[in-house]
Amino acid sequence: MNAADMLQSIKSHPDYHCAGMVLCHNGVVRATSRDGRKVSGLRVAVDHDRLEAILHRARQTPGIVDVQVEIAEDRDLSVGDDVMVLIVAGDIRENVIRTLENTLNDIKTTVTSKTEYFID
């Protein structure tokens, strides 16, 4: 998972000249879960068919030039490891922010499932 390589891929898109903003989300493994328990790591599973549908829809959003995502799946991750990198490029701030937020929320709620490992 390399955000710089993903950004370079977006910059080589034939419509990149239409982009006025590029946003990047880099999710990492936190040391605590949302309920406050100490985490030693996690594992993520991905529904690839659902992911492709979400990315297709996001890329069709008016004003969006490209959307790229990489998810660290099917391996044990430790605290501080990258879980997901999502990059959205588009014309104006409102379109890019909204698309990043919607895409991120859709991925987190319908594409990925995670197993957290806790410290006893």
Side-chain angles (χ1 to χ4, degrees):
M1 190 173 318
N2 186 318
D5 289 344
M6 293 170 68
L7 182 58
Q8 192 56 45
S9 174
I10 286 176
K11 287 183 174 185
S12 68
H13 190 283
D15 293 329
Y16 183 71
H17 66 279
C18 298
M21 178 180 227
V22 178
L23 282 181
C24 177
H25 161 82
N26 187 179
V28 299
V29 180
R30 290 188 316 268
T32 56
S33 66
R34 285 182 173 256
D35 64 9
R37 293 183 287 168
K38 292 184 186 251
V39 171
S40 63
L42 63 84
R43 179 178 279 261
V44 178
V46 175
D47 179 336
H48 289 277
D49 292 335
R50 182 75 183 124
L51 178 60
E52 286 308 313
I54 288 168
L55 292 175
H56 177 75
R57 185 178 69 236
R59 290 174 180 139
Q60 300 305 309
T61 303
I64 297 305
V65 172
D66 199 8
V67 179
Q68 298 289 324
V69 67
E70 286 190 35
I71 303 169
E73 65 176 308
D74 297 329
R75 62 180 187 254
D76 292 330
L77 301 171
S78 299
V79 172
D81 286 347
D82 293 333
V83 178
M84 176 171 49
V85 175
L86 171 63
I87 302 177
V88 177
D91 57 357
I92 60 173
R93 179 179 64 247
E94 294 83 2
N95 291 338
V96 177
I97 292 170
R98 183 176 51 253
T99 300
L100 184 132
E101 181 178 23
N102 291 341
T103 305
L104 178 60
N105 288 337
D106 287 347
I107 290 170
K108 295 282 290 175
T109 59
T110 67
V111 170
T112 59
S113 58
K114 65 181 178 183
T115 302
E116 291 179 303
Y117 303 109
F118 298 101
I119 298 171
D120 294 331

